Amino acid sequence: MDRLFFDSILLIFVLNLCFALMGLGLTTQKLSRDDFPPKPHFVFGSGTSAFQVEGAEAEDGRTPSIWDGVAQSVKNERGVDCCDGYHKYKEDVQLMVATGLEAYRFSISWSRLIPNGRGSVNPKGLQFYNNFINELVSNGIQPHATLIHYDLPQALEDEYGGWLNGKIVKDFTAYADVCFREFGDRVSYWVTINEANVYALGAYDLGIFPPRRCSAPFGISCKAGNSSTEPYIVAHNALLAHASAARLYKRKYQLTQQGFIGFNIFMYRFVPFTNATKDAIATQRAYDFYVGWFMDPLVFGDYPDVVKRNAGTRIPSFTPEESKLVKGSWDFFGLNHYNTLYVRDDLDRLKMKQRDFSMDMAVKLILDWDGVPPGEFPIDPYGTRICLEYIKQHYGNPPVFIHENGQKTFRNASLNDASRMKYLESYIGSMLEAMRNGSNTKGYFTWSFMDLFELFGGYESSYGLYYVDLDNPNLTRYPKLSAHWYSSFLKGGRTNPREMAVVEKDSFLHSKTSYASYFDQ
Ligand SMILES: *[C@@H]1O[C@H](CO)[C@@H](O)[C@H](O)[C@H]1NC(C)=O
Ligand SMILES: *[C@@H]1O[C@H](CO)[C@@H](O)[C@H](O)[C@H]1NC(C)=O
Ligand SMILES: *[C@@H]1O[C@H](CO)[C@@H](O)[C@H](O)[C@H]1NC(C)=O
Ligand SMILES: *[C@@H]1O[C@H](CO)[C@@H](O)[C@H](O)[C@H]1NC(C)=O
Ligand SMILES: *[C@@H]1O[C@H](CO)[C@@H](O)[C@H](O)[C@H]1NC(C)=O
């Protein structure tokens, strides 16, 4: 990460002081579940993803995903697959019940359900997800399912280059069709693709995530790739695949199943590094690149002007039909939010002939680690509030879920994770402020329910409410302080955890002011 510049240390110090004072204000005002709308109008949950938690990678007909090979060396070191969720799902659902979770966010493994990505359904994969979803539902926990959380079937990568190829749209839609048909009677909240913006950048610009494609000087040691073009192509195909699956859901299933479908993006809070106008403009540019890249096509039908201008011919254009398909292809948005970054203008980057996303964005991003314990994230008590305000004000206040939010620690840290408890309390409080100001937020999920195989950090970093003892063959789960805190927060409210009602479609889609009025009562 970039180092701070001396001339700005004072500013950062002053900002930190403000944050500290605000943080004090928020944490002394005790949060309660009762401060939020009751389930099913608002749900609190936690999440994991298939590849990161299931294990059982070669069992019952599953074929490899693009993550299997990359993760193998890390996993071999430990000799175990975290967390064997494939076999321990009943126990885990009981842990969710004990914690008081109202909802659970998980993803389906495409290559477990449809080995090799295309063709016939694997009956054992189908059975597993049916069992798991039934277990959630019968225990009063609302299932929120993501169709793909990074783990593309390796077969599709090998056959035609996965997300780089427009063929992915058809295969993804066929896979989505199976999921809606088989599980849609019990799953009412669907997300097509998890944080496609980070995926496109991590996998095709920096080359740190599979399929690890990049080109110098932007990424290092990739066998192949083109950091200047591929992230834009992958993002375009992801939008088209999402829109195609969403259209199918709306035409074929929504009327009878009465559920909702959405898209998920990763979102930083951006703050100008100085009060210079150019840093304010640069901050908007950072939002346009990170957020507008996906949100603008989904809401308005095209990429932001500044993105098109700076990426030039390297970003694909939408045909009029594609634009129509993508625009409005959602019922809600999911945000994965963890951090605040400072933004410095760096327009000189546009002078480079060879550019990637970050050069096109023409800013310098700075994370302020000052005073933050090693392995942890800084806590910004405005984080969720500003992100939710941004979505509300720029995109007409669509329904939003916070799909991921949580503190990172070293996995070997103490179970007494006070910093995670403080983080959650602060960000949940910050979300409440946004909701009281009219944000149409529908739910909140901590990342992650238990310590799992982190895509960025393997078994070194952790976000879990529960610790998983990898040295015990039973992979025993132990509650951390944050699990106790979240549990007592969730149980302090008037919500009935056994209640399984789903929000009426009309009240979900057309309730832009209902939460503000809820708070007025
Ligand atoms: C990436 O693609 C662009 C556009 O086709 C091309 O100009 C550039 O040379 C390519 N870069 C690499 C590293 O192949
Ligand atoms: C912020 O702006 C004020 C004037 O509006 C100026 O005096 C001050 O130096 C600026 N501070 C920074 C850190 O740029
Ligand atoms: C915990 O893990 C981190 C990162 O792997 C390492 O730097 C640190 O030394 C470990 N601490 C202990 C007490 O083992
Ligand atoms: C509250 O919402 C209004 C209307 O969208 C907006 O103008 C205002 O800036 C928001 N307040 C805060 C503190 O975000
Ligand atoms: C694993 O679980 C079994 C059954 O609950 C128990 O008998 C056994 O002692 C446990 N093993 C360890 C190492 O905790």
Side-chain angles (χ1 to χ4, degrees), residues 7-8 10-11 273-276 279:
D7 64 351
S8 311
L10 184 65
L11 174 74
F273 193 61
T274 70
N275 57 10
D279 282 350

Side-chain angles (χ1 to χ4, degrees), residues 1 6 22 98 103 126 132 243 251 255 324 425 431 434 464 475:
M1 273 297 156
F6 182 71
M22 268 307 295
L126 188 63
F132 178 55
R251 285 188 178 166
L255 196 64
K324 231 178 99 193
E425 189 172 34
M431 170 175 70
L475 297 170

